[in-house]
Amino acid sequence: MSLPVPFVSDIMDIQKDWIDYNGHLNMAYYNVLFDKASDDAFELMGLGASYARERKLTVYTAEVHICYVQELHLGDSVKVSFQLLDHDEKRFTAYQEIRHIDGWLAATSETLSLHIDMAGPKVVPYPPDIAEKVVAFRAAHASLPKPERSGRSIAIKRK
């Protein structure tokens, strides 16, 4: 199977209920957009909803760093990319961008995700078939440059 490099979601439209009292997309709904795209990428890695339902294994988000770059408004349409940056036998990091369909950057997200046995719940290694898919996904994305906006930390810059 040919893997998308990077994975890019279908077009998603900003919903009326997602607009806050400032007239732009509420910060919570950036997460909704990132999450919807992640779910689609997870399906390609074998980590989707049926994996959780049938095997009682899943992915939990342990940490997220979002940067809001440019406001989105009602009527805007976006696509969300997903790039697998790194992984080990139990975890992976990913970088995502929300881009307006006109191409400009609206937001970025970097996440650390954990592979979970739902019976615990506890962090466990991927089964061999899933580990193979994660490795293949990362190998496909290895040709991409490290995103300039990845690895950021939160701080107040002092002079």
Side-chain angles (χ1 to χ4, degrees):
M1 167 174 65
S2 175
L3 295 171
V5 181
F7 170 83
V8 178
S9 74
D10 292 334
I11 293 173
M12 294 184 266
D13 298 320
I14 304 306
Q15 306 297 308
K16 183 180 181 204
D17 293 345
W18 299 356
I19 303 301
D20 65 18
Y21 56 80
N22 294 311
H24 59 240
L25 184 63
N26 178 280
M27 62 183 274
Y29 293 98
Y30 286 84
N31 270 317
V32 169
L33 294 166
F34 284 126
D35 195 49
K36 286 179 179 230
S38 291
D39 283 347
D40 292 342
F42 291 173
E43 285 292 337
L44 292 175
M45 288 190 283
L47 296 165
S50 62
Y51 179 67
R53 202 172 39 255
E54 295 164 12
R55 295 173 76 173
K56 306 299 183 216
L57 299 167
T58 193
V59 174
Y60 283 5
T61 301
E63 185 174 343
V64 178
H65 185 160
I66 295 177
C67 294
Y68 304 95
V69 179
Q70 189 168 338
E71 294 177 0
L72 290 168
H73 298 93
L74 185 61
D76 286 338
S77 297
V78 300
K79 287 188 171 191
V80 181
S81 64
F82 179 99
Q83 179 180 349
L84 189 62
L85 296 178
D86 197 7
H87 67 87
D88 65 13
E89 71 281 353
K90 300 178 187 179
R91 304 169 293 186
F92 62 85
T93 58
Y95 174 82
Q96 294 180 272
E97 292 183 344
I98 297 175
R99 289 196 174 268
H100 189 275
I101 57 168
D102 290 342
W104 50 266
L105 182 64
T108 65
S109 175
E110 193 167 5
T111 58
L112 170 64
S113 298
L114 309 175
H115 184 254
I116 301 291
D117 179 339
M118 295 164 71
K122 64 181 178 179
V123 181
V124 296
Y126 312 109
D129 62 316
I130 299 301
E132 190 175 297
K133 290 178 182 179
V134 171
V135 167
F137 209 87
R138 175 61 190 125
H141 288 194
S143 65
L144 295 168
K146 181 178 188 274
E148 180 182 326
R149 297 184 68 91
S150 69
R152 295 177 139 223
S153 63
I154 296 174
I156 297 173
K157 295 182 181 176
R158 306 279 184 198
K159 291 184 179 183

